[in-house]
Structures are given as structure tokens and as C-alpha cells.
Amino acid sequence: MTPSNLLKIIFLTLFTTLIFSSCLRYDEPFSRIAPGIWRGVLELEKVNFPEKDAKHKDVILLVREQFQPGELPFNFTVTYTNDTAFVIEIMNGTERIRCENISWGRDRTTARDTIHIEFPEYQSYLRADVRGDLMAGEWVVTTKENYRIPFRAKAAQPHRFTNLKTQPAANLSGEWATLFGLNEEKPEKAIAEFQQKDNHLEGTFRTETGDYRFLEGTVQGDHFWLSCFDGAHAYLFSGKIAGDTLVGEYRSGKHYQTLWKAWRDPNFKLGNPDSLVFAKTDASGLAFNFKNPAGEEIKFPSARFDGKVKIFTVSGTWCPNCRDEQVFLTEFLKNNPDAAKQIEVVVLSFERFKDEAKANAQLLKYKNVLGLPYEIVLAGKASAKEAAQVLPGLSEVLAFPTMVILDKNNKIRRVHTGFDGPATSKYGNFKKDFEKLIREML
């Protein structure tokens, strides 16, 4: 199928869907916004690649053919808990992000109902005017200067990209060797993990510094699209099936745009996350003295750590992979109470806030929302270079998160870079390896 024919079919389908959805009626009355499923869209800015980049002309042409370029779609549900209160859950594949901190009011300047949706862990929110089954507003990240992306949504829209059922040119399930940044000086290695059923596509990309979490999308003919929006990151992938190769474009948030390609190669490997960074010295190179949000001094070495297994994790509350790691550690300690008594965990958090008081307020909120049963301290600004300066005993810091594990005798047993979270096929193996190491040290 040619791109022009595909676009015609998509247009006719969307037109029909709009007519149909405008006639929808809701069985249950509602006081504020329509219950059920919505389709949201972030309107990313279009960034053009240089015309002179002939080396990747085939990929650039794909970008220009792309269905609705720059639109990052996602779905969410609205569920009422009483006559006026409701919760919103954002959907990315199997992931559900529950937003309960929701404000409702009337904007005096526009005389319209407005909604303000705070994300539970991250310093960002959605704000929109509401008119019946429509929303229009913006997504705002408060830790970045003037970081706003236009947002709109429509009720009773269960599809993500399209409700088309065009026969896929191939089944993309399985692993794909991947290079990101074809148009950049140093492309980054990754492995795509896809699961496809008919037109529905889910998966993620694993890299040496973490994964792209829960991606969801569609395959239509020889084109496919994937997206993820979790309140911290906004990812959009478009691609084309070109024989046994995939080529495409990747967008992250407001400005970043790059080209990528993937191919089948069972011998393609990423670096071992346990050997990308190494300890240059003994535990003395990990010494620190910080305060938690309550102002209490957390110092290593000190008596509180004596005779215990120690886990220090370089992290940030703005980082979804870091969140995945904190959830894992919290669940491990909860499920292993005897082991938990012999383990001391400290999160060394590197934040984007310029104001220390705001940073500590965010750490306290993060600790409470996630129910962290261990200490979290403000260690510096969100910079891998600064993190390496705080921990000079490491050869470098490549990623947030980085987990350093020491045994009861303060011997550094592991430095783990990045985190393959629950969206990846490696999560189960990581859990087993972690539990094995901890039990050996206990």
C-alpha cells in the first residue's frame, strides 16, 4: 500500500469516527467531566532535519510521510468515586498511572471550567479548559524553564493512534538490534523488544543506561507508531518496515528528535550493566554526609551502617527508571522482612530544583507517595558529572539510576548501571540475580 492511499484511509476513518463519537450518549449522569476512556494528544513541535543529510534520505522521507506528524497520543480513563470526585488513570500498555490530586474550578478570565491534574511523583501537571467532551490546555514540567507542551483530549475515544485494521506487512514481535542517533556523531546501541497481536503493538527499547518503559501503538501496513506518556517523559516513535529492517524517527518531549534503525541480529549485545562502571577504590571513595528532608544527618561510614549490607543508589525523582528501581527495592524489603533488618538503603538524589527547600519538599513527597522504607537525601544537582564528584570511588557515573552494593565488611560487591524495569524481558533475571547476591552477603 502506498503512503498516499494509507493516508486517505486514515482520513476517512477518523472522519467517520468523529461523526460517530459526536453522537455518543452517556448512560450515567456526571457532574464534571465525562466518565470512561479518553484520548489525549500532546502536540510536539515539528523539527526538520537538514536537506543536505542525504545519507539518511530514506528515513527522512518517512518522517515527511508520517501520519499526523508531531502528535503524541495516549489514553486515560475517568472514574468517579462520588458525585463530584474522580480519579484519572493514564494508560501505557499494561502500565496504569493513577492521578488523584485533581483540582476543578472555573476560570474567571475565560468563564470556562478548568481541570488541573498533578502527577503523583513527578513535578509536572496537565491543565486544561473543559467543554463537554473536550479538553484543551497544556502539559507543564515545573523543574524546567518554560517547559510547556499543548495538550488536548476527547472523550469516548478508545483508540490510541487510529482504529484502522490495515493488514500489517510483518509481525514485529521479538528482539531487534537498534541504533539511535543515525544523524548524530555517536549513535547509541539499543535492543527493541516488541510484542504484536494483529495491529496492536507494545514493547520497549533497552539501552545500556535504562529502558524506554511501556510503549504502546499500532502497525498499519508497512508503517508503525509507538508512544508513552507518564508525566515525566513523552516518547513518540514512528517507523517503516523496509524488508528485514526497520527505519524511523524518535521524538522525546519538546525539542529532541533523531533517527533510528533496527534489524534482526541474535548476536547483538549491550554491555553488561554490572561492568560498565567499576570501583576505583575501597568504600572510602563512597563516603558522604548529607541531610534527609527532616534535616537529620545521614553519614557513611557511621555506626548505623556497621554490620549491614549497604545499597546506595544514585537517583532522581524526575527519572522514571529510578522510580522503577525504588519500587523494586521497596517491594523486596517488604517481602523479605528478616533480610530487611540487615540492609541499609540510602537514595542519593540529584535534583533539578535550584532551590534547596523545594528540592527537599519534593524528596519528602516522593518518599511518602512511594512509601519508601529507607532514607532519601539531597546529594546535588541532576548531573552525572556531579554524581561522579560526590562518589569519587567510582570510575564514572553513566546513568540515573546507578546502584552500588556493599557487603557487611564494606567491600563493594556490585556497581549496577541503569535499570531494566518491568517493561523489559530482563526484569525477572535482574530480580533473581539481586536476590541471590543479597542472600550470599547475608
Side-chain angles (χ1 to χ4, degrees):
M1 179 179 296
T2 66
S4 59
N5 287 338
L6 177 60
L7 290 173
K8 288 177 183 177
I9 295 173
I10 291 172
F11 175 78
L12 290 173
T13 303
L14 291 176
F15 181 73
T16 304
T17 302
L18 287 171
I19 293 175
F20 173 76
S21 62
S22 66
C23 300
L24 288 174
R25 296 291 182 268
Y26 297 93
D27 295 331
E28 299 294 331
F30 55 91
S31 59
R32 294 189 169 175
I33 64 174
I37 193 164
W38 287 64
R39 180 178 185 262
V41 170
L42 296 178
E43 300 175 354
L44 306 183
E45 298 175 7
K46 186 62 181 173
V47 180
N48 291 319
F49 294 108
E51 292 280 353
K52 62 182 180 180
D53 194 351
K55 181 180 178 181
H56 307 293
K57 186 177 180 181
D58 55 337
V59 186
I60 296 171
L61 287 175
L62 165 69
V63 175
R64 293 173 184 166
E65 295 168 0
Q66 182 181 310
F67 159 53
Q68 295 182 322
E71 288 195 352
L72 191 161
F74 62 97
N75 296 104
F76 60 92
T77 58
V78 176
T79 304
Y80 278 82
T81 56
N82 59 42
D83 289 343
T84 58
F86 54 89
V87 296
I88 287 176
E89 282 193 331
I90 293 178
M91 308 159 66
N92 296 298
T94 58
E95 180 185 47
R96 298 294 181 269
I97 301 168
R98 187 177 176 88
C99 301
E100 298 179 330
N101 188 2
I102 301 170
S103 303
W104 179 269
R106 195 162 184 82
D107 190 324
R108 295 181 179 180
T109 61
T110 62
R112 293 177 181 171
D113 292 328
T114 61
I115 189 171
H116 184 99
I117 307 163
E118 293 275 353
F119 283 90
E121 297 99 351
Y122 309 120
Q123 288 293 297
S124 74
Y125 62 84
L126 289 167
R127 183 193 178 281
D129 292 338
V130 181
R131 302 183 68 180
D133 61 352
L134 299 173
M135 293 186 197
E138 59 186 1
W139 173 48
V140 180
V141 180
T142 62
T143 54
K144 296 182 179 180
E145 188 173 351
N146 194 32
Y147 198 94
R148 302 170 181 270
I149 295 178
F151 156 75
R152 69 176 190 276
K154 184 172 177 59
Q157 299 283 294
H159 66 279
R160 196 174 185 98
F161 284 90
T162 176
N163 53 18
L164 273 177
K165 302 293 181 182
T166 307
Q167 178 67 35
N171 190 311
L172 305 185
S173 298
E175 293 190 351
W176 296 78
T178 306
L179 283 178
F180 282 109
L182 298 182
N183 53 315
E184 299 172 19
E185 184 176 342
K186 189 178 181 181
E188 179 186 19
K189 292 170 60 177
I191 293 178
E193 297 183 345
F194 293 149
Q195 305 90 44
Q196 181 181 338
K197 183 177 181 181
D198 300 324
N199 296 96
H200 189 73
L201 184 64
E202 293 186 14
T204 193
F205 291 89
R206 292 189 293 110
T207 75
E208 292 180 344
T209 58
D211 66 86
Y212 283 72
R213 306 192 78 252
F214 297 87
L215 303 174
E216 183 177 1
T218 186
V219 182
Q220 301 291 332
D222 60 358
H223 286 61
F224 62 94
W225 297 267
L226 288 159
S227 66
C228 170
F229 175 58
D230 55 20
H233 290 142
Y235 295 146
L236 174 64
F237 296 86
S238 64
K240 184 175 182 179
I241 303 167
D244 57 359
T245 302
L246 309 179
V247 292
E249 176 202 25
Y250 160 53
R251 303 287 305 274
S252 177
K254 191 174 179 180
H255 297 300
Y256 184 71
Q257 180 178 24
T258 195
L259 305 175
W260 64 278
K261 69 176 180 179
W263 63 99
R264 302 282 194 183
D265 183 354
N267 297 317
F268 186 88
K269 305 292 183 184
L270 300 177
N272 185 341
D274 294 330
S275 55
L276 293 173
V277 173
F278 60 90
K280 296 191 300 182
T281 66
D282 57 19
S284 63
L286 304 179
F288 60 80
N289 188 351
F290 297 111
K291 292 182 178 179
N292 64 17
E296 300 167 341
E297 185 180 76
I298 309 298
K299 182 180 179 181
F300 174 77
S302 66
R304 71 179 295 158
F305 296 99
D306 291 346
K308 291 186 177 182
V309 169
K310 292 146 287 273
I311 301 174
F312 303 144
T313 175
V314 176
S315 188
T317 63
W318 44 269
C319 165
N321 288 145
C322 300
R323 177 196 179 280
D324 289 341
E325 184 181 79
Q326 303 312 325
V327 171
F328 163 75
L329 288 171
T330 299
E331 290 178 351
F332 175 83
L333 296 176
K334 180 181 178 181
N335 295 331
N336 299 274
D338 292 336
K341 296 174 184 178
Q342 305 176 66
I343 299 173
E344 196 76 29
V345 179
V346 179
V347 181
L348 304 174
S349 198
F350 293 81
E351 295 297 310
R352 290 173 171 169
F353 293 90
K354 295 180 180 179
D355 183 80
E356 186 174 322
K358 289 182 178 179
N360 276 308
Q362 168 62 10
L363 294 188
L364 183 60
K365 173 186 173 183
Y366 189 80
K367 180 180 172 71
N368 291 336
V369 169
L370 292 182
L372 303 184
Y374 43 78
E375 295 290 352
I376 183 169
V377 298
L378 179 62
K381 295 292 190 297
S383 159
K385 183 177 180 180
E386 183 160 337
Q389 292 173 346
V390 168
L391 301 172
L394 301 182
S395 59
E396 59 185 324
V397 173
L398 292 175
F400 293 91
T402 295
M403 183 190 297
V404 186
I405 303 176
L406 298 83
D407 63 21
K408 292 183 177 183
N409 298 316
N410 286 350
K411 181 181 178 181
I412 300 173
R413 298 290 296 274
R414 179 172 293 177
V415 181
H416 188 88
T417 297
F419 191 74
D420 285 324
T424 75
S425 65
K426 301 298 182 183
Y427 185 57
N429 289 337
F430 170 82
K431 291 171 68 174
K432 291 178 183 178
D433 291 344
F434 177 88
E435 291 173 7
K436 180 182 178 182
L437 176 62
I438 294 298
R439 299 207 179 279
E440 286 177 359
M441 292 189 292
L442 294 180

